[in-house]
């Protein structure tokens, strides 16, 4: 039996971000050799995200980026944090594995979190493949340098109080780049074939019921639900249809941010933020936000 105390899922008091290093430009060329990032615009987008998070009543912590690790701003890949427990991940790309050291040191020394290390040398897991719904955990697994089954087992071992379900994600996409939490018991789902196949598995394996927010792009479906507020990308970036759906369906506070330049590297909105619910006592995170806090349109679909 867990000796942890309960608190609210999706209620965070810290948001950790890593500033964009000059070498960030190089990460875009991994996807497109001709890609060019406007570094001034990218840093402006990052700063706007910091300011938006402040509006969501979290304390923002900005760590300096490291030139040696161009993708270090995607800090969510480095840790799976639930309550006071932080599972230090092991990214599949060896060029990214050094990123976790700075985050580990900060969480341990400054945040006083319980650090869990992965012992299996063959385990690979990234935070972008781990979706916590407030009730259970889904882990996207795939081939190549993706999160694998042993990585999913590391999540099981780190958070034994939750049901952890591996989901086979086709292609190279991260689970949270296509599906994310848009509110209490609400899962936003993108429109790509990969997103729909992934969601079909999730629907059949979920231990709890959720409402589904279907959007017409994967970029639109990736968002952050923080302290009763929703952070999503701008109208120009996700399209009129998805933006209108959010306007119609979501009645609680919404904040839009630009992410176009940063996304040229293959990153997505939620990957740039590590959200922490740090409490004085160890605790198990459960969602107790009521349905009255979210909309109840008849168009919502349940899993």
């Amino acid at each position: 039996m867990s000796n942890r105390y309960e608190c609210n899922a999706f209620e965070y008091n810290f948001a950790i971000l890593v500033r964009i290093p000059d070498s960030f430009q190089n990460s875009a060329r991994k996807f497109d050799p001709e890609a060019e990032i406007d570094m001034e615009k990218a840093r402006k987008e990052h700063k706007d995200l910091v300011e938006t998070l402040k509006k969501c009543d979290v304390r923002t912590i900005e760590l300096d980026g490291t030139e040696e690790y161009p993708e270090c701003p995607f800090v969510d890949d480095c840790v799976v944090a639930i309550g006071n427990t932080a599972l230090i991940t092991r990214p599949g790309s060896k060029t990214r594995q050094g990123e976790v050291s700075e985050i580990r040191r900060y969480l341990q020394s400054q945040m006083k979190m319980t650090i869990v290390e992965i012992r299996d040398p063959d385990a690979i897991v990234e935070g972008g493949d781990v979706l916590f719904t407030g009730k259970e955990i889904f882990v996207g697994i795939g081939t190549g340098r993706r999160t694998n089954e042993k990585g999913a087992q590391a999540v099981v071992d780190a958070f034994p109080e939750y049901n952890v379900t591996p989901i086979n994600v086709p292609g190279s996409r991260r689970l949270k780049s296509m599906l994310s939490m848009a509110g209490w018991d609400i899962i936003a789902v993108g429109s790509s074939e990969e997103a729909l196949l992934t969601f079909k598995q999730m629907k059949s394996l979920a231990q709890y019921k959720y409402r589904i927010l279907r959007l017409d792009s994967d970029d639109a479906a990736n968002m952050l639900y923080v302290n009763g507020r929703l952070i999503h990308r701008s109208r120009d970036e996700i399209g009129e249809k998805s933006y209108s759906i959010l306007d119609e369906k979501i009645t609680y506070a919404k904040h839009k941010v630009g992410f176009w330049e940063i996304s040229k590297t293959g990153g997505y909105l939620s990957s740039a933020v590590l959200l922490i619910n740090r409490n004085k006592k160890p605790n198990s995170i459960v969602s107790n936000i009521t349905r009255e806090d979210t909309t109840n349109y008849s168009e919502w679909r349940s899993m």
Side-chain angles (χ1 to χ4, degrees):
M1 179 179 294
S2 171
N3 62 354
R4 301 184 179 188
Y5 298 89
E6 293 184 355
C7 66
N8 298 331
F10 314 120
E11 291 190 3
Y12 304 101
N13 41 25
F14 294 94
I16 298 176
L17 303 94
V18 176
R19 297 186 180 96
I20 294 176
D22 292 337
S23 60
F24 190 65
Q25 178 72 256
N26 300 331
S27 59
R29 297 186 181 124
K30 290 174 56 178
F31 298 90
D32 180 0
E34 305 298 322
E36 293 290 339
I37 296 179
D38 186 321
M39 294 294 288
E40 183 177 350
K41 288 183 179 179
R43 287 183 167 124
K44 174 67 165 53
E45 290 174 350
H46 198 262
K47 189 64 178 176
D48 288 345
L49 177 57
V50 171
E51 294 304 314
T52 299
L53 285 161
K54 290 178 181 177
K55 295 176 183 177
C56 297
D57 298 328
V58 294
R59 177 185 173 187
T60 59
I61 299 166
E62 295 181 78
L63 304 179
D64 288 332
T66 304
E67 296 298 336
E68 185 180 359
Y69 303 113
E71 296 171 88
C72 61
F74 303 127
V75 63
D76 183 60
D77 279 334
C78 296
V79 179
V80 177
I82 301 177
N84 286 357
T85 300
L87 171 65
I88 305 302
T89 66
R90 182 182 293 136
S93 173
K94 293 186 182 301
T95 60
R96 298 203 63 193
Q97 290 180 3
E99 295 174 23
V100 304
S101 298
E102 178 69 14
I103 303 301
R104 177 198 291 111
R105 183 164 48 250
Y106 189 87
L107 294 178
Q108 190 167 34
S109 64
Q110 302 298 318
M111 304 290 290
K112 307 300 183 185
M113 297 186 73
T114 300
I115 303 299
V116 179
E117 303 282 359
I118 297 175
R119 300 302 178 188
D120 190 332
D122 296 322
I124 297 173
V125 60
E126 295 186 3
D129 274 321
V130 182
L131 176 65
F132 176 52
T133 71
K135 303 173 183 178
E136 59 188 317
I137 302 170
F138 294 98
V139 182
I141 59 177
T143 58
R145 294 185 299 179
R146 293 289 313 281
T147 297
N148 58 22
E149 291 185 8
K150 292 183 177 180
Q153 183 60 48
V155 178
V156 173
D157 296 340
F159 305 103
E161 63 269 49
Y162 295 107
N163 183 73
V164 178
T165 303
I167 300 289
N168 289 304
V169 178
S172 59
R173 301 291 302 276
R174 298 296 182 266
L175 176 61
K176 288 195 294 192
S177 72
M178 304 179 290
L179 298 92
S180 63
M181 299 308 296
W184 182 80
D185 85 353
I186 301 171
I187 299 177
V189 180
S191 61
S192 69
E193 182 178 357
E194 293 88 347
L196 296 176
L197 287 172
T198 301
F199 170 67
K200 184 178 180 180
Q201 292 180 70
M202 186 181 294
K203 182 178 180 180
S204 67
L205 296 171
Q207 300 295 305
Y208 298 89
K209 294 291 186 180
Y210 301 95
R211 291 179 292 160
I212 307 307
L213 181 64
R214 296 184 184 271
L215 299 168
D216 69 346
S217 77
D218 291 356
D219 288 341
N222 176 249
M223 54 189 73
L224 292 162
Y225 183 59
V226 184
N227 295 342
R229 300 169 175 86
L230 192 66
I231 302 175
H232 59 83
R233 293 178 64 172
S234 67
R235 187 189 302 268
D236 290 343
E237 295 182 7
I238 65 174
E240 186 63 40
K241 183 177 180 181
S242 288
Y243 200 91
S244 296
I245 290 172
L246 292 175
D247 267 351
E248 175 188 0
K249 303 293 186 182
I250 305 299
T251 59
Y252 38 90
K254 299 183 292 293
H255 302 283
K256 62 180 183 296
V257 295
F259 207 72
W260 179 252
E261 289 298 321
I262 297 176
S263 70
K264 289 179 180 179
T265 64
Y268 44 92
L269 180 59
S270 67
S271 64
V273 184
L274 175 60
L275 292 166
I276 302 287
N277 187 319
R278 179 68 178 89
N279 295 274
K280 293 181 179 179
K281 296 180 179 180
N283 50 78
S284 176
I285 305 290
V286 297
S287 179
N288 67 358
I289 302 172
T290 66
R291 289 183 180 272
E292 285 69 28
D293 294 319
T294 60
T295 64
N296 279 299
Y297 288 97
S298 59
E299 291 84 355
W300 285 110
R301 302 183 184 186
S302 296
M303 290 180 69

